[in-house]
Amino acid sequence: MWLKSLELMNFRQFHGCQKLNFSPDESKGITVVHGENGSGKTTLLNAFKWGFYEVTSFDTGEDNLLNERAIFEENSGNTIPMHVEIEFSHEQRDYKLKRLQNFKKTSGMEVTSIGNPTLELSYVDENGKYKSEVEGDNAINKILPEKLHTYFFFNGERIEKLSSSASTQQISEAIKNIMGLEIIERAIEHLEKPVKKKLRSESRKSGGQDLEKVTNNVEKIAELLQGKTTELSQAQNNLQQYEIDYEDITERLKLFKESSDLQAEEGRINDEIVAKRDKIRQNEAESRTLISKNGFLAFFNDLADEAYQSLEGRRKKGELPYKIKPQFVEDLLEIGKCICGTEVPLGSDGREKLEQYKSNSIPGLEDAFNSTTRDLATIGKERGRLFSGLERITNLTSELNSEIEDKNKRIEAIKLLLDKAAKSNDNVAGLVNKKKDLELSQREELKKIGFLEAKVLEMQAEQKKADAEHEEVSKQNQLSEKISKKIQLADEAKRVIGEIYDVLSEQTRTELSELVNKIFKGIIRKQYWAEIDEDYTLQIYKEMPNGEKQLVPEKSTGESQITSLSFIASIIKLAKEKSETENNFFRGGIYPIVMDSPFGSLDDEYRELVAGGIPDLAGQIILFASSSQWKGEVERACKQNVSNHISLIYHGNLKGEKSSIYKKESDGYEYTLIEDGYYE
Amino acid sequence: MTTKKNTSEIKDNTTDEVWTLVNQILTVESDYKERITLTSDDERKITSEILRLLDRSVE
């Protein structure tokens, strides 16, 4: 896919109809859009999002998209159009997309929207024929999947959030999307719900009263379970949102001098608590391994020692192992002579004695005796090792728990200090209160999730029982035997599809994790490495002097940005690779990247390293940057690959600020003009 | 439950009858892979197609 142009009509600060043309030169894929703060770079990023998907990420939501000057200049009762038009090419077709929203001016600066935004998507195919897409949204989703859009239309200043634990769902969704795992999810859902419902209904019709009763029961449980599962998923989404909002507020609190240090300390302590909890989990796993391997030794008490003493006593007395070997007695009996030379014919007393020796000796007894006494001697040592190992783990865990307790106390103290700090700054007060509300909501939601998870488990057990009962009753009925077989087949297919789902998502996670690490290590200065953990968290690790792998709990903003950028680059790369693979599921695709201020928090060296990697991120890159972000190392690293420059010239009331090429006094209105070229 | 290592391993542990059915079901679903959300008509078509596949499997 290649973006050719973006046209805006009365969209935010872009008054009237204005257009940006991107270079068609595929050998130099970078277009740089220059603009100072407030000139509309983020608006352009959002224009892409609104045009393609009818979404934006403005802090003010989507209420104020229409340009103020356009409202002011129009008479009441008249219609004001707003649109975003994007031209792009994809697989030998030239597309034109137009999303339009009309407004009606009511009075003053008030407007109401007329209906919902409409989308027109047309293209000229490889034979030059003009065609219109009826299902525009689906066609766009095929070319640029909506669920992946945050990776190719992104704001660099907020990108570090991607590497926070709150983004695990986002990462898991991205993986699902690239692999086309939604298809597999849908298959599972179809088998579980409509297909089985239909089969059960058929079964009910064909069966007797008993069958109807058990079928109704199965239906009822399935419905209740579905309700609880939906509730649970809603609660998990709520919690996820609370976590994102909480992190956002935490970041914002770091911006105020009254709360900055406290907030940073709280963040650091929270990270340390997470690392300690991880360590406790590792200890628990180690303890489980010890118990499963040698736990039986704990029940031996003194038995092993007593058995050893008893065998040893019998050895000393000469009772064990039996001195005379059975083969030796056998040989004497065969030649009919005792060891002293006395003949022992059949029926003689001597022969009877020899027969007794034979029956008293047991084949293999000596070997068994030796190995048993040896094993019994080592059991005691192993048992000691088990207990000392468990004791060490218990002590370590209790130490960690006590450290966590101390850290929680410090967090409580920080909260009190934040309350104090809030008294001298209303903004901080507002954020601190919001944070408390969010903490409360998170706790409530966690409680709810815990309850619902238990309920779902309970109902799943009930469902299993009801299914078994249903199967049993169905089997008894000749007519429903065939349906019963179909239900079994549907269940089996669902199970296998579930396994395929697990395998494919795990494969993609591993593949993506390796790619992320490769890119990350190419940029980062420290001896760190990046991984996507099994729970889809993007983490940074380091190696301790003793060779142990250690989580880096507190990443700098720069390190978080680099981790996130590495993830984005990997997603784009993997999607491209998958688009070239023939498979029913893989979707993938060749995506451009539109990035707003991607170097915000990086120091000069990282800025240069990241900038050096930018040309390789994607075929086409549209980069929004202020002059301070562009000049220097970024310009040096990207220059060779830049095909064109576009400038955003802001006009407004500068209130004593100096006018410059990029910032000009206006006639009272605030607006931005788009110009080709770049003023150095 | 332990996660299997790859799809071949899953195939080896599945009967031919079920494996064929699974592939047929996934082929039906993949016809709708570009849909952002499925319409009720899509849902109806997919369901009846899967039911038809199940019918054929037990005949």
Side-chain angles (χ1 to χ4, degrees), chain A residues 49 62 110 124 147 164 200 335 413 448 494 615 625 640:
Chain A
K49 291 184 179 194
E62 287 172 29
E110 296 294 315
V124 177
K147 284 183 179 163
S164 76
R200 281 196 293 261
I335 56 170
K448 198 171 167 189
K494 194 186 88 178
Q640 295 295 316

Side-chain angles (χ1 to χ4, degrees), chain A residues 227-428:
Chain A
K228 290 290 167 210
T229 314
T230 312
E231 252 184 83
L232 175 61
S233 151
Q234 183 58 48
Q236 283 162 336
N237 286 341
N238 289 346
L239 182 65
Q240 176 89 13
Q241 192 52 51
Y242 291 146
E243 282 168 356
I244 291 169
D245 292 348
Y246 189 86
E247 288 217 3
D248 192 38
I249 290 177
T250 304
E251 288 307 312
R252 281 158 69 187
L253 276 169
K254 284 184 191 164
L255 301 175
F256 295 97
K257 65 175 180 353
E258 294 86 348
S259 52
S260 169
D261 289 348
L262 289 168
Q263 199 48 73
E265 189 187 350
E266 189 193 48
R268 202 166 50 244
I269 295 175
N270 272 328
D271 287 341
E272 284 168 11
I273 291 176
V274 169
K276 287 188 191 304
R277 289 203 174 121
D278 272 353
K279 193 79 195 152
I280 290 176
R281 271 195 289 276
Q282 281 172 20
N283 283 347
E284 285 166 352
E286 195 187 337
S287 163
R288 276 196 299 275
T289 313
L290 259 181
I291 291 171
S292 64
K293 205 174 151 198
N294 286 331
F296 67 97
L297 295 173
F299 302 100
F300 266 60
N301 297 328
D302 298 327
L303 204 62
D305 203 34
E306 280 172 28
Y308 178 76
Q309 295 304 338
S310 161
L311 287 173
E312 190 58 16
R314 296 192 74 175
R315 187 186 65 79
K316 281 179 182 161
K317 283 184 198 166
E319 292 170 5
L320 278 171
Y322 203 71
K323 286 173 187 164
I324 303 169
K325 293 204 164 33
Q327 190 55 51
F328 177 64
V329 181
E330 284 280 354
D331 292 346
L332 293 177
L333 287 170
E334 200 177 320
I335 56 170
K337 252 186 195 174
C338 176
I339 192 168
C340 60
T342 315
E343 297 284 338
V344 283
L346 279 169
S348 67
D349 286 351
R351 190 168 186 100
E352 201 178 323
K353 278 249 161 81
L354 274 177
E355 293 281 1
Q356 267 177 15
Y357 280 124
K358 188 186 157 194
S359 61
N360 284 345
S361 65
I362 302 162
L365 179 65
E366 188 175 359
D367 289 346
F369 172 82
N370 288 335
S371 69
T372 307
T373 45
R374 199 172 49 241
D375 289 349
L376 283 171
T378 56
I379 277 177
K381 284 180 197 159
E382 287 297 329
R383 194 162 172 262
R385 266 202 282 273
L386 168 73
F387 285 131
S388 64
L390 287 174
E391 193 180 352
R392 178 183 55 79
I393 293 170
T394 312
N395 289 341
L396 202 58
T397 305
S398 126
E399 223 170 87
L400 285 163
N401 275 325
S402 140
E403 283 168 19
I404 289 175
E405 206 176 306
D406 289 346
K407 295 211 177 286
N408 277 329
K409 278 182 194 156
R410 178 60 194 153
I411 284 187
E412 287 309 314
I414 290 172
K415 283 192 182 14
L416 291 175
L417 290 169
L418 270 173
D419 280 342
K420 227 180 204 176
K423 284 179 188 156
S424 55
N425 184 326
D426 287 348
N427 287 329
V428 173

Side-chain angles (χ1 to χ4, degrees), chain B residues 4-33:
Chain B
K4 293 199 167 51
K5 280 176 193 155
N6 51 48
T7 42
S8 319
E9 205 179 318
I10 301 172
K11 189 182 174 190
D12 292 345
N13 287 291
T14 308
T15 60
D16 288 347
E17 181 192 25
V18 173
W19 188 251
T20 309
L21 179 65
V22 162
N23 277 293
Q24 287 167 335
I25 292 171
L26 291 177
T27 307
V28 172
E29 296 284 354
S30 69
D31 286 344
Y32 296 80
K33 71 174 168 186

